[in-house]
Amino acid sequence: MLVFAIEWVFRGDLGSTVAFFMQTNKPGWTTILVFALVLYGLDAIAGRNWLGMLIVAPVTLALAFIGYQKSLYLGDPLFPTDILFARQIFELLPLLIGERPWAGMALAIAPVLAMAALFYIWRFIRLHVPRIGYKGRIIRLILVLPMLAFFASLMDYGTFSWTRDRLQIIPMMWDQKENYASNGFTLAFALNVPMAHVSAPNGYSAKAIESIARPEVNTALPDDYPDIIMVMSESFWDAGKLPGITITPDPISSTRRLQSGEVFSPEFGGMTANVEFEALTGFSNAFLPAGSIPYQQYIRKPLPSLASFLGSQGYQTLALHPGTDWFWNRNNAYKALGFDEFRFDKTMAHTQKRGKLVSDTAMTDEIISTADIAKNPLFLFAVSLQNHGPYEANRYGDAAFDVQAHNHNAISDRARASLASYAQGAADADHELQRLIDWAQKRERPTIIAFFGDHLPPLGPTYVETGFLKTNVAPRKDTPQNMLQNRSTPLVIWSNRSGSADDMDALSPAFLPLHVLKLAGISHPYYTGFLGDLYRHYHVVERSLLLSDTQEATTDWAQAKHIAPPIRNFHHLQYDMMFGKQYAAPVFFPETVGDRIASAN
């Protein structure tokens, strides 16, 4: 019953839960056996029957419920590594509760009631269930522990297992939604435990790295070093793409006029850190386990980035985020990426709020005041916070946008109010972009500004009501056309010397270093050399989709027997620098060889 309840809570659907246990090609009964062994062993350790159930049931049911909620809000199931950012969830609770106060009240009361119930059940077991003798406990453990160890060995999806196949446990790490649907919540969760280890791609070796064509460009900078300012704007998107919806006045008029192209985000509705990982390093999440968060799991030592490269050339390098420093482990990740300084809410000079969060205006004030007094050329990477979801009605109190539905596309008052709040936040971000442009136009120092949204906003039911999506979140895998619609955010790359770069199709954030440095007149063996060659073949590199320079789509490419050489080389270089022997460093990242990285290590 416990295993059935876990699946029902996680799936939120009785029919699919029953089908999971009825189908012989699903490991439902295998899961029951695993739970029986775990409970049998825990009872032996605790000394009484049912105490194992008292420990396991609340934990697993809570995880299943959290997994269900995550799938509703972000579209992804719960992964073991999500435990690493539990603190982030608690930090966001005031925002979530602000939109759903009754849910917040229930969230406060439920743990108290649950603890009281568990205490009562524990007392009942202690008084009415006899203890298991020491001999019986030892026999149980002798039987159970080897079998559990054997099952644990089956969870290494990187190795073939005949037994695992016979038990119908089929790892589908490339499609986590199907992985959880096919293997069930418990086994899929367990299969993701080895995620912390990233295996080398097939064929990786020193010889493979040496065989990659050497870039035709070397490190070179113009005589007059430009300041480079990159702004990743929280949930910034063109809500006018919602079908049958008109928002007046246009909330992103400046962005629309300056727009260079679009960023094809690797995420939807959240997971901002994964987008900035690509934008700063020129590497791709496509080569990392689904559900992983590089900032929290993999960046444990110095890693090449725009910050480390420009810092090696005499730039002052500054990361800026008006939230807490520990969120997404940014404090440690930014150090490893080579930033000289990270300013956050406690160290910024400008922190006035709009709504409940530090405003985009405050962040722009911080950017301008920093650049105006900088003695060295400046590389500044800023991540905004103001327009973080959810978007409760009347969030700012002065929303000046009218949301109209057309073509019989009626939407609820709640959706209309949520859109109005979102539009005001997007308009504030758009206004601050124009303010940065106006400021930079008056500067003598050449200045590059890159501005882009990290992902689409978590508008939830509004997407369904307008017909933009069938569910609250976009699926990880879809048709290329739908993925372009559901992942693309506005991109502006602008220079106070030459204006906006233009004629860019949708591109992965990993290609932002290429275009930013190119407009700045800076060349680099990897960022403009290798990525420039790769960009001539592919503009989007995503786990389930490649888009070529002609927008030709290749789906499920990672499962193919033969990987296209440019993508294979991309994967090898990334693995080499993140987890391997860094054979590529002298040729592709020469700035990492020598005193700077040695001292960081």
Side-chain angles (χ1 to χ4, degrees):
M1 291 300 294
L2 174 59
V3 179
F4 186 90
I6 290 170
E7 286 299 322
W8 191 1
V9 169
F10 173 70
R11 294 168 187 264
D13 177 67
L14 180 60
S16 66
T17 304
V18 172
F20 174 69
F21 290 97
M22 294 295 291
Q23 295 173 3
T24 57
N25 64 334
K26 305 293 184 185
W29 292 97
T30 301
T31 309
I32 292 174
L33 174 60
V34 171
F35 265 84
L37 291 171
V38 170
L39 295 175
Y40 202 60
L42 285 176
D43 286 346
I45 294 172
R48 279 186 170 86
N49 290 325
W50 299 105
L51 285 179
M53 179 70 77
L54 190 64
I55 296 169
V56 171
V59 173
T60 52
L61 287 170
L63 288 174
F65 176 74
I66 294 169
Y68 173 69
Q69 292 297 318
K70 184 189 175 189
S71 66
L72 286 180
Y73 193 71
L74 292 177
D76 285 330
L78 185 73
F79 301 112
T81 51
D82 289 339
I83 296 170
L84 293 173
F85 61 95
R87 188 179 175 190
Q88 280 96 305
I89 301 300
F90 284 104
E91 181 77 7
L92 292 175
L93 278 179
L95 287 177
L96 300 174
I97 292 172
E99 186 189 34
R100 300 175 181 177
W102 289 107
M105 188 177 298
L107 195 63
I109 295 173
V112 177
L113 295 178
M115 291 298 293
L118 289 173
F119 179 75
Y120 174 81
I121 296 171
W122 175 78
R123 285 292 304 272
F124 182 87
I125 292 173
R126 292 269 299 178
L127 293 173
H128 297 88
V129 178
R131 291 185 61 84
I132 304 170
Y134 285 106
K135 183 178 179 180
R137 294 166 68 180
I138 293 172
I139 292 173
R140 285 193 183 195
L141 291 175
I142 290 173
L143 292 173
V144 165
L145 292 179
M147 296 181 70
L148 286 176
F150 173 71
F151 271 110
S153 70
L154 300 181
M155 294 300 104
D156 183 5
Y157 60 83
T159 59
F160 172 77
S161 170
W162 181 89
T163 305
R164 187 174 61 212
D165 284 356
R166 303 289 78 74
L167 293 173
Q168 302 300 327
I169 304 172
I170 312 298
M172 302 178 187
M173 315 313 289
W174 60 90
D175 186 347
Q176 290 288 358
K177 186 175 182 180
E178 182 59 28
N179 189 32
Y180 277 71
S182 179
N183 293 306
F185 173 76
T186 302
L187 292 182
F189 188 85
L191 283 168
N192 277 289
V193 170
M195 185 188 294
H197 173 71
V198 178
S199 301
N202 292 333
Y204 168 73
S205 65
K207 187 175 181 180
I209 297 298
E210 291 172 4
S211 69
I212 299 174
R214 297 305 187 255
E216 297 180 356
V217 299
N218 296 314
T219 298
L221 287 84
D223 293 335
D224 195 3
Y225 286 20
D227 282 351
I228 299 174
I229 298 169
M230 296 179 69
V231 177
M232 189 169 74
S233 185
E234 174 62 45
S235 297
F236 189 81
W237 177 61
D238 180 6
K241 291 185 176 183
L242 292 170
I245 298 296
T246 300
I247 302 175
T248 53
D250 182 3
I252 62 166
S253 57
S254 293
T255 303
R256 205 180 304 281
R257 174 173 47 83
L258 296 164
Q259 191 164 348
S260 303
E262 292 186 312
V263 165
F264 184 98
S265 177
E267 302 295 344
F268 179 92
M271 309 297 281
T272 296
N274 286 353
V275 186
E276 63 183 90
F277 163 75
E278 292 199 12
L280 284 169
T281 63
F283 293 150
S284 175
N285 290 282
F287 306 127
L288 299 173
S292 61
I293 305 164
Y295 274 18
Q296 298 197 147
Q297 294 161 256
Y298 307 131
I299 300 181
R300 293 289 183 264
K301 61 181 182 180
L303 184 69
S305 75
L306 283 178
S308 62
F309 162 55
L310 293 170
S312 72
Q313 304 303 309
Y315 271 76
Q316 174 188 346
T317 58
L318 170 66
L320 177 64
H321 176 61
T324 54
D325 61 336
W326 52 262
F327 209 103
W328 294 126
N329 195 38
R330 283 190 175 101
N331 50 352
N332 295 314
Y334 285 152
K335 289 178 184 176
L337 292 176
F339 281 99
D340 297 325
E341 181 186 2
F342 171 33
R343 289 186 203 164
F344 51 99
D345 58 350
K346 296 294 191 297
T347 58
M348 289 171 55
H350 306 274
T351 56
Q352 64 267 33
K353 292 186 176 181
R354 181 149 163 76
K356 298 178 181 179
L357 302 172
V358 176
S359 68
D360 285 350
T361 297
M363 192 178 77
T364 303
D365 289 342
E366 193 81 16
I367 292 171
I368 291 175
S369 62
T370 300
D372 281 344
I373 64 173
K375 296 180 180 178
N376 294 328
L378 174 69
F379 172 64
L380 191 152
F381 183 81
V383 182
S384 73
L385 184 60
Q386 178 190 316
N387 212 23
H388 198 292
Y391 307 99
E392 68 276 13
N394 201 33
R395 177 172 182 166
Y396 299 110
D398 61 350
F401 293 89
D402 181 44
V403 178
Q404 292 293 329
H406 307 284
N407 302 327
H408 307 288
N409 192 15
I411 60 173
S412 65
D413 291 340
R414 179 175 179 176
R416 194 185 303 273
S418 178
L419 266 178
S421 290
Y422 172 76
Q424 183 60 62
D428 290 349
D430 182 78
H431 178 268
E432 295 309 312
L433 168 63
Q434 186 61 58
R435 187 170 157 224
L436 275 177
I437 298 293
D438 293 342
W439 161 77
Q441 283 178 329
K442 301 173 184 177
R443 305 187 81 205
E444 292 185 8
R445 174 174 285 179
T447 304
I448 306 297
I449 294 175
F451 176 94
F452 60 99
D454 54 352
H455 50 67
L456 269 67
L459 290 169
T462 302
Y463 288 127
V464 180
E465 291 187 35
T466 59
F468 185 79
L469 294 173
K470 294 180 181 179
T471 57
N472 288 353
V473 294
R476 281 286 179 185
K477 293 177 63 177
D478 207 335
T479 65
Q481 182 179 0
N482 285 347
M483 290 187 73
L484 277 170
Q485 168 190 275
N486 303 338
R487 299 283 195 90
S488 297
T489 65
L491 167 65
V492 174
I493 302 180
W494 178 90
S495 165
N496 64 349
R497 297 291 177 87
S498 58
S500 293
D502 54 15
D503 295 330
M504 294 182 191
D505 297 321
L507 54 89
S508 290
F511 290 111
L512 287 174
L514 163 66
H515 292 286
V516 169
L517 293 185
K518 187 177 177 181
L519 190 61
I522 299 173
S523 63
H524 180 271
Y526 179 78
Y527 299 118
T528 63
F530 179 82
L531 288 181
D533 292 338
L534 180 63
Y535 192 72
R536 282 189 274 274
H537 297 280
Y538 299 100
H539 289 186
V540 169
V541 180
E542 199 269 349
R543 281 192 181 90
S544 63
L545 177 68
L546 299 175
L547 284 180
S548 72
D549 57 324
T550 60
Q551 295 293 288
E552 180 181 353
T554 303
T555 57
D556 294 326
W557 59 271
Q559 310 313 310
K561 291 183 178 179
H562 301 288
I563 306 297
I567 299 299
R568 180 197 62 212
N569 293 340
F570 190 17
H571 191 179
H572 283 181
L573 280 176
Q574 176 171 322
Y575 178 85
D576 182 59
M577 295 306 298
M578 289 188 70
F579 310 106
K581 301 294 186 180
Q582 298 192 343
Y583 302 121
V587 173
F588 291 93
F589 301 95
E591 71 279 0
T592 68
V593 180
D595 294 339
R596 184 178 177 85
I597 293 299
S599 63
N601 275 310

